[in-house]
């Protein structure tokens, strides 16, 4: 490529500080260094984790930053040591790397990696080096990606090469939300055929969890949300029942227990609210019920009565749906191309990078499932 080895000037949406609108700036993107890949970002979806960092996390040392991590693009150039990826390849950058060498990557028990750095655990931790700068200031890359930019640089262990036939403005959703929810049901909860499930929260991750429960052949899938407008969308992904907690004057766990002869076999929490997490646990049947926490928060502690767990329930957490990222994402892309996985149905809005603040407002007020930003033409 013509710009290989040179600094690229391009457009990006920069979050200079928390709780402020993003600013479209011209930034400089340095060439990739050893084991790095420079990517032309074609499409990026807005995920609630971006909003959480911007509006809720209270991590002042996490700025200035380029948010955006649910992205897809085309490799522009690669640094020394990169062998599996070449310029021109279609790729999805990954929020969780897979080095294939650390104790986590070698274990079938986890999809985490020693190189994964939790975005909410910043105390005494220096941000990783970024190749993005603006006005002589280094810009952090959220989750090591920085997808709200026309170009970015990512470590090769956090890049999945995908089928060249894949439409990037659709498969970008596999960079986070869809894999996270779908895998929480299939990989973490290990939903069983004929079982009863409850999914709390019907954003993109919750809807993907519903889809995962259906793929695992659950018999009853109860969608729980305080917005009744979301039920028709949940039906598309496989929900069989809908419960609005506001319609009842008793705890939602009691409602679900009465609906399911003592509780659901599996519950998946996709809200990021500690009270909902407890409700999801308490909605599970004693003896074998499994509840999975997916929603992101670090601002409050969770609590539960010990008897809930002593009685045989299991409480688990899930990140990126338990998928080993570089291995699984290309397979999920193939599943979409084979029409075994829904993606188009998640997309409610298409916008440009210049409209990023409008896209954030839509998500903030619950008026979209996923907005895909067309960052740059293919």
């Amino acid at each position: 490529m013509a710009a290989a080895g040179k600094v690229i000037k391009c457009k990006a949406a920069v979050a200079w500080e928390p709780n402020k609108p993003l600013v479209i700036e011209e930034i400089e993107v340095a060439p990739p260094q050893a084991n790095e890949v420079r990517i032309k970002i074609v499409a990026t979806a807005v995920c609630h984790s971006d909003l959480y960092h911007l509006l809720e996390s209270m991590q002042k040392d996490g700025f200035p930053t380029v948010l955006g991590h649910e992205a897809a693009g085309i490799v522009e150039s690669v640094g020394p040591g990169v062998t599996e990826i070449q310029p021109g390849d279609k790729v999805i950058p990954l929020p969780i790397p897979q080095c294939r060498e650390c104790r986590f990557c070698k274990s079938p028990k986890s999809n985490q990696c020693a190189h994964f750095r939790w975005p909410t655990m910043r105390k005494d931790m220096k941000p990783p080096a970024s190749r993005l700068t603006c006005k002589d200031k280094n810009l952090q890359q959220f989750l090591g990606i920085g997808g709200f930019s026309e170009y970015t640089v990512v470590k090769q262990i956090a890049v999945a090469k995908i089928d060249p036939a894949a439409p990037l403005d659709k498969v970008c959703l596999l960079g986070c939300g869809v894999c996270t929810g779908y895998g929480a049901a299939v990989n973490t909860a290990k939903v069983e055929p004929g079982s009863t499930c409850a999914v709390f929260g019907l954003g993109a991750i919750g809807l993907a969890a519903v889809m995962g429960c259906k793929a695992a052949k659950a018999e009853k899938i109860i969608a729980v949300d305080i917005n009744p407008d979301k039920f028709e969308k949940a039906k598309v992904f496989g929900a069989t029942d809908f419960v609005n907690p506001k319609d009842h004057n008793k705890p939602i766990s009691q409602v679900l227990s009465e609906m399911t002869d003592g509780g659901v076999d599996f519950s998946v929490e996709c809200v990021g609210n500690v009270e909902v997490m407890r409700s999801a646990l308490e909605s599970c049947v004693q003896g074998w019920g499994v509840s999975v926490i997916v929603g992101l928060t670090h601002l409050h502690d969770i609590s539960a009565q010990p008897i809930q767990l002593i009685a045989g329930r299991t409480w688990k957490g899930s990140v990126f749906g338990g998928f080993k990222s570089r291995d699984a994402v290309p397979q999920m892309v193939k599943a979409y191309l084979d029409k075994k996985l829904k993606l188009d149905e998640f997309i409610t809005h298409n916008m440009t990078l210049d409209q990023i603040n409008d896209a954030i407002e839509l998500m903030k007020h619950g008026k979209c499932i996923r907005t895909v930003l067309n960052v740059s033409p293919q």
Side-chain angles (χ1 to χ4, degrees), residues 18-38:
N19 291 298
K20 294 292 177 66
L22 306 191
V23 181
I24 302 298
E25 304 275 16
E26 181 181 79
I27 71 167
E28 295 81 41
V29 182
Q33 302 302 304
N35 302 310
E36 293 180 343
V37 179
R38 188 157 63 181

Side-chain angles (χ1 to χ4, degrees), residues 204-266:
I205 291 175
L207 293 173
V210 168
M211 182 168 59
C213 291
K214 182 179 180 181
K217 297 182 169 56
E219 183 175 317
K220 192 179 190 72
I221 305 170
I222 305 169
V224 182
D225 201 288
I226 59 174
N227 183 352
D229 295 337
K230 292 184 176 180
F231 183 43
E232 287 305 314
K233 178 67 81 169
K235 277 185 179 179
V236 172
F237 292 96
T240 59
D241 298 81
F242 180 77
V243 176
N244 184 346
K246 290 186 175 181
D247 292 340
H248 303 272
N249 56 9
K250 62 182 74 171
I252 187 63
S253 58
Q254 186 177 337
V255 174
L256 294 182
S257 179
E258 292 170 358
M259 288 175 64
T260 57
D261 189 26
V264 299
D265 301 303
F266 303 95

Side-chain angles (χ1 to χ4, degrees), residues 321-342:
F323 283 114
K324 287 188 179 291
S325 58
R326 289 166 70 194
D327 294 339
V329 167
Q331 296 172 3
M332 292 289 278
V333 169
K334 185 178 186 305
Y336 168 70
L337 294 175
D338 291 342
K339 302 189 184 305
K340 296 178 181 178
L341 188 77
K342 296 181 187 297

Side-chain angles (χ1 to χ4, degrees), residues 170-181:
K170 304 294 192 301
V171 299
C172 62
L173 301 187
L174 294 171
C176 181
V178 173
C179 284
T180 296

Side-chain angles (χ1 to χ4, degrees), residues 28 30 36 66 127-133 137-141 145 152-153:
E28 295 81 41
E36 293 180 343
V66 177
S130 167
R131 305 298 171 214
L132 313 185
T133 56
K137 291 186 178 180
N138 188 254
L139 303 175
Q140 296 184 42
Q141 295 172 236
I145 296 175
T152 192
V153 176

